[in-house]
Amino acid sequence: MSGHIDVIVIGGGYAGVMAANRLTQRADVRVTVVNPRSVFVPRLRLHQLVGGTHDAVVDYTTVLADGVRLVVDSVTRIDAGERSVTLAEGGTIGYDYLVYAAGSGSGGPRVPGADEFAYPVATFEAAQRLRSVLFDTPMTAAVTVVGGGPTGIETAAELAERGRDVTLACGGVLGPYLHPKARRTARKYLAALGVSVLEGPESAVTAVTRDAVVLADGRARESLVTVWTAGFGVPDLAERSGLRTDSAGRLLTDETLTSIDDERIVAAGDSSAPSGVPFRMSAYAAGCLGAHAADTVLDRIAGNQAEPIDLSFPAMCVSFGRRAGIFQLAHKDDTAMRLYFAGFAGRKLKEFSCAASVSHLVKEARKPGSHTWPKDGRHRPRLLQSHPADTTPLG
């Protein structure tokens, strides 16, 4: 291969930016990031955007390496045969390698009325819309947050701390990832903020109307603003482009993050499914997967054998407004330990994690190849043995 090597990165989130920056280790690699927004959105801050405590944007000049070209547009199709992508605004861009880091948005099971009356919070535009709606809604109006995961907890806490009347309908247990000890602390923090927490299968929202939610047990609760945080989905770009995906639409790859259909395409972040067994969606995992995807491309360019991904999860954290947080330590197989930090320490660690998700990108932009992460090497192979999947390459 002679001359420049063109790499397109689809998506300018945590995974895409990390991959783009890391690829600049080679002077002969030209990197283009295609992203629908002109600013980087730290999604860990979207609940703060809704609550009015953060603007949730960072200029790309801060997080992207010099020399990386940013195209503000959306990709509508990947033509693997021609090695090109089609842009929504017209035209195509060719590539030698492609990093698929399309990210995620709102998803999960929908119920009657949710599309019309519920407000998601998984994207920058959705969070902006919800913030505008809340601005025009009296502070005394009943607000229901649907979903008991980190996004639901943080959104409910942020709004309650601002003085809102908030109900959190978990549809199951509060904070499923948390250790039972940490979960008890979470309930205490939410109660102190005045959040009414509904748990158990009977708390699942089965319908949404203009001014109420209907629960699985048949009860209707007043809700003038309903916030939907239950579940995430991924773009259908890979599927529409004829690439094989899992049932959720994530691009199927091997353990090097290479598409099982085309060795010139690698995937990272929420929209990837290595061996059909995706990692937990998180900014932390997205950054690590983005770095590894770039390493796979660089190995291919150099004629080296790409290595399988090795990634362990040291912790998960959740904030309860601006005054408290829980930093849940985890085993290397991504299960919660009994040990966790709460209160002021938990809040500080949560804030450090949010800031680090951006500072890691900045560091990689300035010193490509510098990002590292905890590895394990044991639990992932065991997990794959217990979850066999058909990821055999075509041909």
Side-chain angles (χ1 to χ4, degrees):
M1 189 175 291
S2 61
H4 287 97
I5 302 162
D6 290 309
V7 181
I8 290 178
V9 179
I10 298 177
Y14 294 107
V17 171
M18 179 63 78
N21 290 344
R22 202 170 183 90
L23 286 164
T24 62
Q25 291 177 80
R26 287 186 62 122
D28 59 346
V29 171
R30 295 189 300 196
V31 184
T32 299
V33 174
V34 182
N35 190 67
R37 304 177 194 91
S38 60
V39 291
F40 175 78
V41 176
R43 287 181 59 185
L44 293 176
R45 303 286 193 183
L46 288 179
H47 63 286
Q48 289 185 254
L49 173 61
V50 171
T53 60
H54 203 284
D55 58 7
V57 292
V58 178
D59 197 287
Y60 271 119
T61 58
T62 301
V63 296
L64 270 181
D66 293 340
V68 174
R69 181 170 70 124
L70 175 66
V71 174
V72 181
D73 206 334
S74 297
V75 173
T76 59
R77 186 173 183 272
I78 302 166
D79 189 331
E82 294 295 325
R83 293 183 194 162
S84 68
V85 299
T86 302
L87 302 178
E89 296 297 322
T92 61
I93 306 177
Y95 66 83
D96 295 300
Y97 292 91
L98 183 143
V99 178
Y100 187 80
S104 62
S106 298
R110 305 300 288 181
V111 301
D115 286 332
E116 184 177 1
F117 299 115
Y119 298 91
V121 71
T123 66
F124 181 71
E125 292 77 15
Q128 281 187 314
R129 180 182 178 218
L130 175 57
R131 180 175 177 175
S132 178
V133 168
L134 288 167
F135 182 81
D136 294 330
T137 302
M139 291 295 293
T140 55
V143 176
T144 300
V145 178
V146 182
T151 303
I153 292 172
E154 292 185 329
T155 303
E158 202 76 28
L159 295 179
E161 192 173 64
R162 306 274 80 76
R164 292 280 178 185
D165 176 13
V166 181
T167 295
L168 178 60
C170 298
V173 68
L174 174 71
Y177 183 90
L178 296 173
H179 187 276
K181 287 180 58 182
R183 188 174 299 118
R184 288 194 290 271
T185 300
R187 292 190 184 108
K188 181 181 71 174
Y189 287 156
L190 290 170
L193 289 168
V195 177
S196 298
V197 178
L198 307 179
E199 295 187 77
E202 66 278 5
S203 69
V205 172
T206 59
V208 182
T209 68
R210 187 181 303 277
D211 56 7
V213 295
V214 180
L215 304 180
D217 61 7
R219 289 180 296 162
R221 293 181 64 98
E222 182 183 14
S223 181
L224 295 184
V225 178
T226 300
V227 184
W228 196 274
T229 73
F232 288 83
V234 299
D236 63 353
L237 174 61
E239 185 177 5
R240 285 190 286 108
S241 300
L243 299 169
R244 281 187 286 178
T245 66
D246 69 1
S247 59
R250 291 171 288 216
L251 183 66
L252 281 172
T253 74
D254 62 17
E255 286 296 286
T256 71
L257 306 185
T258 303
S259 166
I260 62 173
D261 296 317
D262 191 326
E263 68 174 9
R264 296 287 183 133
I265 299 175
V266 300
D270 293 351
S271 55
S272 65
S275 301
V277 185
F279 290 92
R280 173 165 58 87
M281 289 183 174
S282 65
Y284 162 75
C288 300
L289 292 170
H292 191 82
D295 289 343
T296 293
V297 171
L298 293 172
D299 281 337
R300 291 258 159 71
I301 293 172
N304 299 327
Q305 183 173 346
E307 297 293 327
I309 181 67
D310 189 358
L311 168 65
S312 66
F313 287 76
M316 189 276 283
C317 47
V318 59
S319 63
F320 297 81
R322 300 299 90 210
R323 298 186 182 91
I326 289 177
F327 190 84
Q328 172 70 72
L329 295 177
H331 299 286
K332 288 186 176 181
D333 64 350
D334 197 23
T335 57
M337 294 181 178
R338 287 176 58 87
L339 182 61
Y340 66 98
F341 295 92
F344 177 78
R347 181 184 71 81
K348 294 294 286 186
L349 287 167
K350 163 68 176 179
E351 181 58 31
F352 173 81
S353 298
C354 289
S357 67
V358 174
S359 64
H360 288 325
L361 302 178
V362 175
K363 181 180 178 182
E364 189 71 18
R366 295 173 180 171
K367 189 179 179 182
S370 61
H371 186 60
T372 60
W373 57 91
K375 298 177 174 63
D376 174 54
R378 294 186 303 161
H379 292 95
R380 178 75 178 173
R382 293 175 186 170
L383 179 64
L384 295 178
Q385 288 179 356
S386 63
H387 292 79
D390 181 13
T391 56
T392 306
L394 291 176

Short mmCIF file of all heavy atoms in Angstrom, two decimals, residues 121-170:
data_model
loop_
_atom_site.label_atom_id
_atom_site.label_comp_id
_atom_site.label_asym_id
_atom_site.label_seq_id
_atom_site.Cartn_x
_atom_site.Cartn_y
_atom_site.Cartn_z
N VAL A 121 -34.12 10.89 26.79
CA VAL A 121 -33.03 11.75 27.26
C VAL A 121 -31.68 11.21 26.79
O VAL A 121 -30.64 11.66 27.25
CB VAL A 121 -33.08 11.87 28.80
CG1 VAL A 121 -32.68 10.56 29.46
CG2 VAL A 121 -32.25 13.02 29.32
N ALA A 122 -31.69 10.27 25.84
CA ALA A 122 -30.46 9.56 25.47
C ALA A 122 -29.59 10.31 24.48
O ALA A 122 -28.44 9.92 24.27
CB ALA A 122 -30.81 8.18 24.90
N THR A 123 -30.11 11.36 23.86
CA THR A 123 -29.32 12.14 22.91
C THR A 123 -29.34 13.61 23.30
O THR A 123 -30.19 14.06 24.07
CB THR A 123 -29.86 12.00 21.47
OG1 THR A 123 -31.16 12.61 21.40
CG2 THR A 123 -29.95 10.54 21.06
N PHE A 124 -28.41 14.36 22.74
CA PHE A 124 -28.31 15.79 23.03
C PHE A 124 -29.60 16.52 22.65
O PHE A 124 -30.12 17.32 23.43
CB PHE A 124 -27.12 16.37 22.28
CG PHE A 124 -26.90 17.84 22.52
CD1 PHE A 124 -26.43 18.29 23.74
CD2 PHE A 124 -27.15 18.76 21.51
CE1 PHE A 124 -26.23 19.65 23.97
CE2 PHE A 124 -26.95 20.11 21.72
CZ PHE A 124 -26.48 20.56 22.96
N GLU A 125 -30.11 16.21 21.46
CA GLU A 125 -31.32 16.89 20.99
C GLU A 125 -32.52 16.55 21.87
O GLU A 125 -33.34 17.41 22.18
CB GLU A 125 -31.60 16.50 19.54
CG GLU A 125 -30.58 17.04 18.54
CD GLU A 125 -29.27 16.28 18.54
OE1 GLU A 125 -29.23 15.15 19.10
OE2 GLU A 125 -28.28 16.79 17.99
N ALA A 126 -32.61 15.27 22.29
CA ALA A 126 -33.72 14.87 23.15
C ALA A 126 -33.63 15.56 24.51
O ALA A 126 -34.64 16.01 25.07
CB ALA A 126 -33.72 13.35 23.32
N ALA A 127 -32.42 15.65 25.06
CA ALA A 127 -32.24 16.30 26.35
C ALA A 127 -32.57 17.79 26.26
O ALA A 127 -33.18 18.36 27.18
CB ALA A 127 -30.81 16.10 26.84
N GLN A 128 -32.19 18.43 25.17
CA GLN A 128 -32.53 19.84 24.97
C GLN A 128 -34.04 20.04 24.91
O GLN A 128 -34.58 20.98 25.50
CB GLN A 128 -31.90 20.36 23.67
CG GLN A 128 -30.43 20.71 23.77
CD GLN A 128 -29.95 21.37 22.50
OE1 GLN A 128 -30.24 20.90 21.39
NE2 GLN A 128 -29.21 22.45 22.62
N ARG A 129 -34.71 19.14 24.20
CA ARG A 129 -36.16 19.26 24.08
C ARG A 129 -36.82 19.10 25.44
O ARG A 129 -37.72 19.86 25.81
CB ARG A 129 -36.68 18.19 23.11
CG ARG A 129 -38.19 18.22 22.92
CD ARG A 129 -38.65 17.10 22.00
NE ARG A 129 -40.11 17.09 21.86
CZ ARG A 129 -40.83 16.00 21.78
NH1 ARG A 129 -40.25 14.81 21.83
NH2 ARG A 129 -42.14 16.06 21.65
N LEU A 130 -36.37 18.11 26.22
CA LEU A 130 -36.94 17.90 27.55
C LEU A 130 -36.69 19.10 28.45
O LEU A 130 -37.58 19.52 29.19
CB LEU A 130 -36.35 16.63 28.17
CG LEU A 130 -36.75 16.32 29.61
CD1 LEU A 130 -38.26 16.23 29.76
CD2 LEU A 130 -36.08 15.04 30.08
N ARG A 131 -35.51 19.66 28.37
CA ARG A 131 -35.21 20.84 29.19
C ARG A 131 -36.15 21.98 28.84
O ARG A 131 -36.64 22.69 29.73
CB ARG A 131 -33.76 21.26 28.97
CG ARG A 131 -33.35 22.49 29.78
CD ARG A 131 -31.88 22.79 29.61
NE ARG A 131 -31.49 23.99 30.33
CZ ARG A 131 -30.25 24.43 30.43
NH1 ARG A 131 -29.27 23.75 29.86
NH2 ARG A 131 -29.98 25.54 31.09
N SER A 132 -36.42 22.17 27.55
CA SER A 132 -37.33 23.23 27.12
C SER A 132 -38.74 22.98 27.63
O SER A 132 -39.43 23.90 28.09
CB SER A 132 -37.33 23.32 25.59
OG SER A 132 -38.23 24.30 25.14
N VAL A 133 -39.18 21.72 27.56
CA VAL A 133 -40.52 21.37 28.05
C VAL A 133 -40.63 21.65 29.55
O VAL A 133 -41.62 22.22 30.03
CB VAL A 133 -40.83 19.89 27.75
CG1 VAL A 133 -42.07 19.42 28.51
CG2 VAL A 133 -41.02 19.69 26.25
N LEU A 134 -39.62 21.26 30.30
CA LEU A 134 -39.64 21.49 31.75
C LEU A 134 -39.62 22.98 32.08
O LEU A 134 -40.24 23.41 33.06
CB LEU A 134 -38.45 20.78 32.40
CG LEU A 134 -38.54 19.25 32.44
CD1 LEU A 134 -37.20 18.65 32.82
CD2 LEU A 134 -39.62 18.80 33.43
N PHE A 135 -38.92 23.75 31.27
CA PHE A 135 -38.87 25.20 31.50
C PHE A 135 -40.26 25.81 31.43
O PHE A 135 -40.58 26.76 32.16
CB PHE A 135 -37.94 25.85 30.47
CG PHE A 135 -37.78 27.33 30.65
CD1 PHE A 135 -36.89 27.84 31.58
CD2 PHE A 135 -38.53 28.23 29.88
CE1 PHE A 135 -36.75 29.21 31.75
CE2 PHE A 135 -38.39 29.59 30.04
CZ PHE A 135 -37.49 30.09 30.99
N ASP A 136 -41.10 25.24 30.56
CA ASP A 136 -42.46 25.76 30.37
C ASP A 136 -43.49 25.06 31.26
O ASP A 136 -44.69 25.31 31.12
CB ASP A 136 -42.88 25.62 28.91
CG ASP A 136 -42.05 26.50 27.98
OD1 ASP A 136 -41.60 27.57 28.43
OD2 ASP A 136 -41.84 26.10 26.81
N THR A 137 -43.03 24.17 32.14
CA THR A 137 -43.93 23.40 32.99
C THR A 137 -43.80 23.87 34.44
O THR A 137 -42.68 24.03 34.94
CB THR A 137 -43.60 21.90 32.91
OG1 THR A 137 -43.70 21.46 31.55
CG2 THR A 137 -44.55 21.08 33.77
N PRO A 138 -44.91 24.11 35.13
CA PRO A 138 -44.83 24.56 36.53
C PRO A 138 -44.00 23.61 37.39
O PRO A 138 -44.02 22.39 37.19
CB PRO A 138 -46.30 24.57 36.98
CG PRO A 138 -47.08 24.73 35.71
CD PRO A 138 -46.30 24.00 34.66
N MET A 139 -43.29 24.16 38.37
CA MET A 139 -42.43 23.35 39.23
C MET A 139 -43.24 22.33 40.04
O MET A 139 -42.72 21.30 40.46
CB MET A 139 -41.64 24.25 40.18
CG MET A 139 -40.58 25.09 39.49
SD MET A 139 -39.26 24.09 38.76
CE MET A 139 -38.50 23.40 40.23
N THR A 140 -44.52 22.61 40.26
CA THR A 140 -45.35 21.71 41.06
C THR A 140 -45.93 20.55 40.25
O THR A 140 -46.55 19.65 40.81
CB THR A 140 -46.51 22.49 41.70
OG1 THR A 140 -47.24 23.17 40.66
CG2 THR A 140 -45.99 23.51 42.69
N ALA A 141 -45.72 20.56 38.93
CA ALA A 141 -46.30 19.53 38.07
C ALA A 141 -45.65 18.18 38.35
O ALA A 141 -44.44 18.08 38.59
CB ALA A 141 -46.11 19.91 36.60
N ALA A 142 -46.46 17.12 38.29
CA ALA A 142 -45.96 15.77 38.52
C ALA A 142 -45.10 15.32 37.35
O ALA A 142 -45.50 15.41 36.19
CB ALA A 142 -47.12 14.81 38.72
N VAL A 143 -43.90 14.81 37.67
CA VAL A 143 -42.97 14.30 36.66
C VAL A 143 -42.70 12.83 36.97
O VAL A 143 -42.42 12.47 38.12
CB VAL A 143 -41.64 15.08 36.67
CG1 VAL A 143 -40.64 14.45 35.69
CG2 VAL A 143 -41.87 16.55 36.35
N THR A 144 -42.79 11.98 35.95
CA THR A 144 -42.47 10.56 36.12
C THR A 144 -41.27 10.21 35.25
O THR A 144 -41.26 10.52 34.05
CB THR A 144 -43.65 9.66 35.71
OG1 THR A 144 -44.78 9.97 36.52
CG2 THR A 144 -43.29 8.18 35.89
N VAL A 145 -40.26 9.62 35.86
CA VAL A 145 -39.10 9.11 35.13
C VAL A 145 -39.25 7.60 35.05
O VAL A 145 -39.39 6.92 36.07
CB VAL A 145 -37.79 9.48 35.83
CG1 VAL A 145 -36.60 8.89 35.07
CG2 VAL A 145 -37.65 11.00 35.93
N VAL A 146 -39.24 7.06 33.83
CA VAL A 146 -39.44 5.63 33.61
C VAL A 146 -38.09 4.97 33.40
O VAL A 146 -37.36 5.31 32.47
CB VAL A 146 -40.35 5.38 32.39
CG1 VAL A 146 -40.58 3.89 32.20
CG2 VAL A 146 -41.67 6.12 32.55
N GLY A 147 -37.77 4.01 34.27
CA GLY A 147 -36.51 3.28 34.15
C GLY A 147 -35.65 3.45 35.38
O GLY A 147 -35.32 4.57 35.76
N GLY A 148 -35.27 2.33 36.00
CA GLY A 148 -34.52 2.38 37.26
C GLY A 148 -33.03 2.18 37.12
O GLY A 148 -32.35 1.91 38.11
N GLY A 149 -32.49 2.32 35.89
CA GLY A 149 -31.05 2.23 35.69
C GLY A 149 -30.36 3.54 36.01
O GLY A 149 -30.98 4.49 36.50
N PRO A 150 -29.05 3.64 35.72
CA PRO A 150 -28.31 4.86 36.05
C PRO A 150 -28.90 6.13 35.45
O PRO A 150 -28.98 7.15 36.13
CB PRO A 150 -26.91 4.57 35.48
CG PRO A 150 -26.79 3.09 35.51
CD PRO A 150 -28.16 2.58 35.20
N THR A 151 -29.32 6.08 34.18
CA THR A 151 -29.88 7.29 33.56
C THR A 151 -31.16 7.72 34.25
O THR A 151 -31.37 8.91 34.50
CB THR A 151 -30.13 7.05 32.06
OG1 THR A 151 -28.92 6.66 31.42
CG2 THR A 151 -30.65 8.32 31.40
N GLY A 152 -32.02 6.76 34.56
CA GLY A 152 -33.26 7.09 35.25
C GLY A 152 -33.01 7.65 36.64
O GLY A 152 -33.61 8.65 37.04
N ILE A 153 -32.11 7.01 37.38
CA ILE A 153 -31.79 7.46 38.73
C ILE A 153 -31.23 8.88 38.69
O ILE A 153 -31.66 9.76 39.45
CB ILE A 153 -30.78 6.51 39.40
CG1 ILE A 153 -31.43 5.15 39.67
CG2 ILE A 153 -30.24 7.11 40.69
CD1 ILE A 153 -30.45 4.09 40.14
N GLU A 154 -30.27 9.11 37.82
CA GLU A 154 -29.61 10.42 37.78
C GLU A 154 -30.55 11.52 37.31
O GLU A 154 -30.52 12.64 37.83
CB GLU A 154 -28.37 10.34 36.88
CG GLU A 154 -27.27 9.46 37.47
CD GLU A 154 -26.00 9.48 36.67
OE1 GLU A 154 -26.06 9.63 35.44
OE2 GLU A 154 -24.92 9.33 37.29
N THR A 155 -31.41 11.21 36.34
CA THR A 155 -32.36 12.21 35.87
C THR A 155 -33.37 12.55 36.96
O THR A 155 -33.68 13.72 37.20
CB THR A 155 -33.07 11.71 34.60
OG1 THR A 155 -32.11 11.39 33.60
CG2 THR A 155 -34.03 12.76 34.07
N ALA A 156 -33.90 11.52 37.62
CA ALA A 156 -34.86 11.75 38.70
C ALA A 156 -34.25 12.58 39.82
O ALA A 156 -34.86 13.53 40.32
CB ALA A 156 -35.37 10.41 39.23
N ALA A 157 -33.02 12.23 40.21
CA ALA A 157 -32.36 12.96 41.30
C ALA A 157 -32.07 14.40 40.91
O ALA A 157 -32.26 15.33 41.71
CB ALA A 157 -31.06 12.24 41.67
N GLU A 158 -31.63 14.60 39.68
CA GLU A 158 -31.30 15.96 39.22
C GLU A 158 -32.54 16.85 39.26
O GLU A 158 -32.48 18.01 39.71
CB GLU A 158 -30.73 15.90 37.81
CG GLU A 158 -29.89 17.09 37.41
CD GLU A 158 -28.51 17.09 38.04
OE1 GLU A 158 -27.98 16.01 38.35
OE2 GLU A 158 -27.97 18.20 38.22
N LEU A 159 -33.66 16.33 38.78
CA LEU A 159 -34.89 17.12 38.75
C LEU A 159 -35.45 17.34 40.15
O LEU A 159 -35.94 18.44 40.46
CB LEU A 159 -35.92 16.42 37.86
CG LEU A 159 -35.56 16.31 36.38
CD1 LEU A 159 -36.66 15.58 35.61
CD2 LEU A 159 -35.32 17.69 35.76
N ALA A 160 -35.37 16.33 41.00
CA ALA A 160 -35.88 16.48 42.37
C ALA A 160 -35.06 17.50 43.13
O ALA A 160 -35.60 18.28 43.92
CB ALA A 160 -35.86 15.13 43.08
N GLU A 161 -33.76 17.51 42.91
CA GLU A 161 -32.90 18.48 43.59
C GLU A 161 -33.22 19.91 43.16
O GLU A 161 -33.00 20.86 43.92
CB GLU A 161 -31.43 18.17 43.32
CG GLU A 161 -30.47 18.93 44.23
CD GLU A 161 -29.03 18.49 44.05
OE1 GLU A 161 -28.50 18.68 42.93
OE2 GLU A 161 -28.46 17.93 44.99
N ARG A 162 -33.75 20.06 41.96
CA ARG A 162 -34.17 21.39 41.48
C ARG A 162 -35.54 21.77 42.04
O ARG A 162 -36.04 22.85 41.75
CB ARG A 162 -34.24 21.41 39.94
CG ARG A 162 -32.98 20.98 39.22
CD ARG A 162 -32.01 22.12 39.03
NE ARG A 162 -31.22 22.41 40.21
CZ ARG A 162 -30.20 21.66 40.63
NH1 ARG A 162 -29.85 20.57 40.01
NH2 ARG A 162 -29.52 22.02 41.70
N GLY A 163 -36.18 20.86 42.80
CA GLY A 163 -37.47 21.16 43.42
C GLY A 163 -38.66 20.54 42.72
O GLY A 163 -39.81 20.86 43.06
N ARG A 164 -38.43 19.64 41.77
CA ARG A 164 -39.52 19.00 41.04
C ARG A 164 -40.16 17.89 41.87
O ARG A 164 -39.53 17.26 42.72
CB ARG A 164 -39.00 18.40 39.73
CG ARG A 164 -38.55 19.42 38.70
CD ARG A 164 -39.73 19.98 37.96
NE ARG A 164 -39.35 21.01 36.99
CZ ARG A 164 -40.23 21.70 36.29
NH1 ARG A 164 -41.53 21.47 36.44
NH2 ARG A 164 -39.83 22.63 35.45
N ASP A 165 -41.45 17.63 41.57
CA ASP A 165 -42.19 16.53 42.17
C ASP A 165 -41.99 15.31 41.27
O ASP A 165 -42.62 15.18 40.22
CB ASP A 165 -43.68 16.90 42.26
CG ASP A 165 -44.54 15.77 42.79
OD1 ASP A 165 -43.98 14.78 43.31
OD2 ASP A 165 -45.78 15.86 42.66
N VAL A 166 -41.11 14.39 41.68
CA VAL A 166 -40.65 13.32 40.80
C VAL A 166 -41.01 11.95 41.34
O VAL A 166 -40.81 11.65 42.52
CB VAL A 166 -39.12 13.39 40.59
CG1 VAL A 166 -38.65 12.28 39.65
CG2 VAL A 166 -38.71 14.75 40.05
N THR A 167 -41.52 11.11 40.44
CA THR A 167 -41.72 9.68 40.71
C THR A 167 -40.80 8.90 39.78
O THR A 167 -40.73 9.19 38.58
CB THR A 167 -43.18 9.26 40.46
OG1 THR A 167 -44.03 9.93 41.40
CG2 THR A 167 -43.34 7.76 40.63
N LEU A 168 -40.10 7.92 40.33
CA LEU A 168 -39.23 7.06 39.54
C LEU A 168 -39.88 5.68 39.45
O LEU A 168 -39.96 4.96 40.44
CB LEU A 168 -37.85 6.96 40.17
CG LEU A 168 -36.83 6.03 39.48
CD1 LEU A 168 -36.56 6.49 38.05
CD2 LEU A 168 -35.53 5.98 40.28
N ALA A 169 -40.37 5.33 38.26
CA ALA A 169 -41.00 4.03 38.03
C ALA A 169 -39.96 3.08 37.46
O ALA A 169 -39.61 3.16 36.29
CB ALA A 169 -42.18 4.18 37.07
N CYS A 170 -39.46 2.19 38.30
CA CYS A 170 -38.33 1.35 37.92
C CYS A 170 -38.72 0.21 36.98
O CYS A 170 -37.91 -0.22 36.16
CB CYS A 170 -37.66 0.77 39.17
SG CYS A 170 -36.98 2.03 40.28
#
